[in-house]
Amino acid sequence: MKSNYILPIMVLAFVAWLAGCASPASKEALVVDDASFGTRHPYSVSISTSGGGETTAMSYTNIPNEDLAAAIEESITTSGLFSSVIKGDGADYKLSVSLVSMTKPMFGFSFTINMEMAWSLVNARTGDVVMRESIKSSHTATAGEAFAAVTRIRLAVEGAVQNNIRQGLQEIAALSLD
Amino acid sequence: MIRKDKLGFIIVLLSLLVLLHGCAVNRATATVDQTTDLSSLKVLYVKKYSEDTRDTNVVIKDKLVEMGFHVSETETEVDAIVTYVDKWFWDFTFYLLELTITLRDPKTDFPLASGNSYHTSLSRKSPEEMVGEVLTNIFFNNQKQGVDNEK
């Protein structure tokens, strides 16, 4: 390759790298499917999520609220933590999970995402608040896991969300529900 | 020496880069936890972000006072602690790219409510406008829960 093409190609690669700096998180990668929490609450639960958002070409990797809710639902169903997950009204307990903050590193060989989510669980019948926790999680994706920075960011986000869901469900498993 | 045609190619690519980076992205979201009654919050404390060098805490404090809250000078005996993260970016001048404000339970640090505003260079807003947008969304437009109105 002629050396006089190297500079334009480098510039082009830089532009492509910038333009492609967002890759949406995979819903399947958020699910905690390797855990049994040792508790089976004989109640139904509904799930609402907020604070997430769509990933666009110009934004950072994000988590759609629908995907976060679906991942929590599947994690609960797989582990049997509640007897059922109900959409809409009629559940025994209402679980609310909100993404409060997420760090967004832009450069580096390893990307570490730190995340905070607010978890609250309310008895739908009595209105009693049975859990109110700020859950912090993190995950590091290294260059060994993926060469492309955009992929490492996505892996780090997915790992941090999955860790957060695991911790949140562990907290719920430790509760004594009426 | 760089030849003229190659220089033109590089200029086109750099223009594309600037264009991509300067696209107008607007996003404003607010969420309030199901266990939070915002009407019970009267006395607040604004905790300065450790990396804030532009006194955004003062802008937040002034706006809260304007909205009718009592803003305490200490963390004790307050209904909520206000924390925030401000991200500034340079595009000919520095501007506030993203602001996240969170209201926290003073005893447990639980996030009672949170709002975020993100405006890139072409749709940049002043710090006062950004703070106003976030606080208004938290206290008055929190039915926007989960809304992501990117343009």
Side-chain angles (χ1 to χ4, degrees):
Chain A
M1 186 180 290
K2 290 181 180 176
S3 60
N4 57 351
Y5 286 113
I6 290 176
L7 184 59
I9 287 172
M10 284 177 66
V11 174
L12 187 63
F14 186 58
V15 171
W17 173 76
L18 260 184
C21 67
S23 169
S26 161
K27 183 169 63 179
E28 291 71 27
L30 311 180
V31 175
V32 179
D33 57 3
D34 58 343
S36 172
F37 298 105
T39 304
R40 289 178 180 269
H41 295 305
Y43 304 104
S44 60
V45 67
S46 64
I47 301 164
S48 67
T49 54
S50 58
E54 298 297 326
T55 303
T56 66
M58 293 306 298
S59 69
Y60 206 80
T61 296
N62 211 337
I63 308 107
N65 292 320
E66 298 76 17
D67 287 2
L68 180 59
I72 295 170
E73 177 179 344
E74 193 170 333
S75 302
I76 289 174
T77 304
T78 303
S79 64
L81 183 57
F82 283 90
S83 62
S84 62
V85 178
I86 291 177
K87 289 183 169 62
D89 296 330
D92 299 315
Y93 284 87
K94 294 192 289 185
L95 174 64
S96 169
V97 180
S98 179
L99 175 60
V100 177
S101 67
M102 182 173 80
T103 56
K104 299 172 181 175
M106 292 299 291
F107 302 101
F109 287 107
S110 295
F111 286 99
T112 298
I113 299 288
N114 298 306
M115 182 176 288
E116 180 183 15
M117 292 197 199
W119 287 65
S120 65
L121 186 66
V122 171
N123 184 318
R125 183 173 50 83
T126 63
D128 291 344
V129 178
V130 294
M131 181 182 115
R132 215 183 188 204
E133 291 286 337
S134 162
I135 293 182
K136 292 170 181 163
S137 62
S138 67
H139 186 79
T140 301
T142 63
E145 292 176 75
F147 176 74
V150 61
T151 308
R152 290 203 300 279
I153 289 172
R154 179 176 56 77
L155 292 174
V157 170
E158 290 169 350
V161 173
Q162 192 190 59
N163 287 344
N164 207 291
I165 292 174
R166 179 178 283 106
Q167 287 184 61
L169 297 184
Q170 282 171 342
E171 293 276 351
I172 292 173
L175 296 171
S176 176
L177 301 181
D178 298 323
Chain B
M1 269 315 265
I2 299 175
R3 280 174 30 207
K4 270 188 177 178
D5 57 338
K6 199 161 75 174
L7 187 63
F9 180 59
I10 292 172
I11 289 171
V12 168
L13 288 178
L14 286 175
S15 301
L16 180 64
L17 170 68
V18 171
L19 180 71
L20 276 173
H21 218 69
C23 280
V25 177
N26 303 300
R27 188 174 63 231
T29 62
T31 61
V32 178
D33 186 75
Q34 63 174 348
T35 62
T36 300
D37 175 15
L38 286 177
S39 66
S40 68
L41 306 181
K42 308 292 183 197
V43 184
L44 307 173
Y45 170 74
V46 181
K47 186 174 186 177
K48 182 161 182 165
Y49 177 42
S50 59
E51 295 179 23
D52 176 13
T53 57
R54 297 171 189 275
D55 290 337
T56 304
N57 61 316
V58 176
V59 181
I60 295 172
K61 181 182 172 183
D62 290 348
K63 184 64 185 176
L64 287 168
V65 170
E66 185 186 315
M67 292 169 77
F69 292 99
H70 176 70
V71 180
S72 173
E73 294 297 326
T74 63
E75 289 187 44
T76 55
E77 296 183 11
V78 295
D79 299 321
I81 292 176
V82 181
T83 62
Y84 64 95
V85 176
D86 56 341
K87 289 182 185 169
W88 295 75
F89 205 75
W90 188 88
D91 187 2
F92 296 104
T93 59
F94 274 102
Y95 67 97
L96 184 52
L97 173 70
E98 184 173 16
L99 177 68
T100 304
I101 297 178
T102 306
L103 307 182
R104 294 178 181 277
D105 186 311
K107 294 185 181 72
T108 64
D109 204 38
F110 179 77
L112 305 168
S114 183
N116 172 274
S117 181
Y118 182 92
H119 293 278
T120 53
S121 182
L122 288 180
S123 59
R124 67 175 70 179
K125 292 187 171 189
S126 68
E128 289 77 12
E129 288 173 314
M130 292 274 277
V131 167
E133 181 175 70
V134 176
L135 291 177
T136 300
N137 280 340
I138 289 175
F139 286 102
F140 303 113
N141 299 330
N142 55 58
Q143 67 272 21
K144 281 186 174 180
Q145 193 162 5
V147 164
D148 193 346
N149 59 337
E150 287 197 15
K151 293 173 185 170

